[in-house]
Amino acid sequence: MRWRQIAEDVAVLSFPLRGFGIDFGRNVTLLRLRDGRLVIHSTADFSEDDVEAIRQFGEPAWLVDATVMHDTFAKSARGIFPRLPYLAPGGFSKASGVATGSLVPPPSEWSGEIEVLPIAGLRMPKEHVFYHRRSRTLVVADLLFHFSAETGGWPRFFARHFMRLPRLRGISAFFKLMIRDRGAFERSMEELLRWDFTQIVVGHGEPMQSSVRQVLEEALRARGFRIGHRN
């Protein structure tokens, strides 16, 4: 596990996750509330050392998976944190075999600190995006990918030619195939862009911390979406 604290109340734990002969990585984001409680965004095969590091950062209070596609480690995480509320999109319980509650509306304890937006217009995977207000951090699952500039060989070829990410970041061709209602998706993106975020944590890859609004808008336009909102 690789630990990175990217804001006073936000830490990213990165784990290996292999597919197609590539380590895409799996990011778990810890979002800390003012009272010290933690939202554990995404799950992984946590070791005892990982759990201790999480507890050092704050009090685990909620488990969250933001897309139906991220069910791989749900049973493992539930076994490690058996008493925490587990929140996820509709359909996640069936996919994972783990009982979960709804992300919408979010818990009242998050009011004024963490906002949740379901992305409309998707067939699957019913992704939800999170906004941690105090740190101005946007957390996504598969909406965006961001491969390191040092990525080479087969992973680089796959990202550029199969996922169609020539700059190694953006909305993958696979995600675009999941969009069934273009107008609804664009309206969700307009709503998302009203948040005042300055960094983005992706589900797979490196966090983005520079010109992130521009990166997101360029990613949307590169896929042909019309985004008219401006601050």
Side-chain angles (χ1 to χ4, degrees):
M1 182 267 286
R2 178 186 178 192
W3 173 283
R4 285 169 287 186
Q5 186 169 346
I6 63 171
E8 182 179 354
D9 294 304
V10 181
V12 179
L13 290 67
S14 298
F15 297 82
L17 183 67
R18 296 193 65 82
F20 302 101
I22 298 166
D23 182 6
F24 288 95
R26 172 70 169 260
N27 290 331
V28 174
T29 307
L30 306 181
L31 303 174
R32 188 165 58 194
L33 302 182
R34 287 187 177 89
D35 64 8
R37 287 183 293 175
L38 295 180
V39 176
I40 303 173
H41 182 292
S42 293
T43 50
D45 191 13
F46 299 125
S47 68
E48 290 183 5
D49 287 344
D50 298 332
V51 173
E52 178 59 26
I54 291 170
R55 294 189 186 280
Q56 287 291 323
F57 193 66
E59 177 191 348
W62 294 271
L63 286 173
V64 165
D65 270 303
T67 168
V68 175
M69 299 292 286
H70 281 193
D71 63 307
T72 306
F73 304 106
K75 288 183 178 178
S76 173
R78 169 47 85 208
I80 293 168
F81 296 105
R83 297 180 181 177
L84 299 190
Y86 199 152
L87 309 180
F92 186 88
S93 293
K94 183 177 180 180
S96 66
V98 175
T100 56
S102 178
L103 280 168
V104 179
S108 60
E109 296 96 323
W110 299 4
S111 180
E113 298 196 59
I114 297 174
E115 297 193 37
V116 181
L117 173 69
I119 301 179
L122 301 180
R123 294 183 181 87
M124 287 288 281
K126 298 183 179 179
E127 179 165 338
H128 292 54
V129 291
F130 282 56
Y131 178 52
H132 186 261
R133 282 194 168 277
R134 193 161 56 259
S135 66
R136 300 167 71 186
T137 302
L138 183 71
V139 186
V140 306
D142 296 330
L143 172 64
L144 293 170
F145 278 76
H146 182 211
F147 290 85
S148 165
E150 289 73 39
T151 301
W154 166 241
R156 185 180 187 91
F157 184 89
F158 186 90
R160 296 187 66 185
H161 298 286
F162 286 87
M163 298 177 74
R164 298 185 182 177
L165 300 173
R167 301 179 67 181
L168 303 179
R169 69 188 187 197
I171 299 171
S172 77
F174 306 128
F175 189 89
K176 187 179 180 183
L177 289 174
M178 298 296 164
I179 300 169
R180 62 176 171 79
D181 185 330
R182 188 182 190 88
F185 177 77
E186 289 176 342
R187 288 190 290 275
S188 286
M189 295 300 99
E190 293 279 5
E191 188 171 349
L192 184 159
L193 284 164
R194 293 189 180 99
W195 288 335
D196 186 24
F197 55 91
T198 57
Q199 56 184 358
I200 301 175
V201 181
V202 297
H204 311 280
E206 298 296 311
M208 303 181 190
Q209 296 179 289
S210 177
S211 304
V212 293
R213 297 184 65 83
Q214 180 181 343
V215 168
L216 177 55
E217 291 190 3
E218 287 177 351
L220 290 164
R221 293 195 183 97
R223 293 297 181 205
F225 297 110
R226 294 179 297 175
I227 302 300
H229 174 75
R230 293 291 182 274
N231 282 341

